Amino acid sequence: MAKTENRRSARLRRHRRIRKKVWGTPERPRLVVYRSLRNIEGQLVDDEASRTLLGLSTLEESLRDFKSESGKNRQVEQARAAGRLLAERACERGISAVVFDRGGYKYHGRVKAFAEGARERGLKF
């Protein structure tokens, strides 16, 4: 129990440290990533108005029954698909540039795949 609390509190400390520098505006919102053991979520946030402009999770209907085509890690491929879908929806709303907030996680694995998927569909970080 203590190890889990230490890991969580360390991530939250890193997240707070990142949030001091990363700020989202209406023209360039903050792309926040949250990673749980099974799922990944992304949100576009306007910090000036304290509003979530767009949100997406792998629990959505279109991503829930995701099948990996390449035989690679299913969760990583699902995160990449989620990033692509979020970028498509953002472009439909006229958002092309964002500030990336990795949420205290390492830029590695599913977080990296999510970011790369968003870049593939035209979001600029």
Side-chain angles (χ1 to χ4, degrees):
M1 183 71 156
K3 185 176 180 180
T4 305
E5 272 305 307
N6 289 341
R7 293 175 93 193
R8 186 169 191 273
S9 63
R11 185 192 74 80
L12 290 174
R13 271 196 317 272
R14 284 190 303 271
H15 186 54
R16 276 190 235 111
R17 189 170 58 234
I18 292 166
R19 285 286 292 120
K20 288 179 188 176
K21 301 170 189 163
V22 177
W23 187 258
T25 64
E27 300 82 32
R28 192 169 174 164
R30 180 169 53 102
L31 173 57
V32 186
V33 175
Y34 173 74
R35 178 180 60 92
S36 68
L37 287 177
R38 293 186 180 185
N39 297 295
I40 193 161
E41 299 174 22
Q43 292 182 337
L44 294 178
V45 178
D46 172 10
D47 289 315
E48 289 179 3
S50 300
R51 281 184 359 147
T52 299
L53 304 174
L54 181 65
L56 177 100
S57 170
T58 52
L59 291 172
E60 263 189 30
E61 289 289 327
S62 57
L63 295 169
R64 188 179 303 154
D65 299 324
F66 182 82
K67 303 283 190 256
S68 178
E69 297 93 26
S70 61
K72 294 181 182 177
N73 187 337
R74 185 186 76 81
Q75 286 184 320
V76 173
E77 292 296 315
Q78 188 180 30
R80 185 179 304 275
R84 285 189 209 121
L85 186 58
L86 183 81
E88 288 172 8
R89 290 181 183 175
C91 289
E92 288 172 4
R93 291 188 179 198
I95 300 168
S96 60
V98 297
V99 180
F100 189 67
D101 179 2
R102 59 188 172 88
Y105 303 106
K106 286 184 179 180
Y107 187 77
H108 173 76
R110 289 186 288 155
V111 174
K112 182 178 178 182
F114 189 90
E116 289 174 350
R119 280 193 187 106
E120 286 173 12
R121 298 292 185 193
L123 276 185
K124 293 180 181 66
F125 292 30

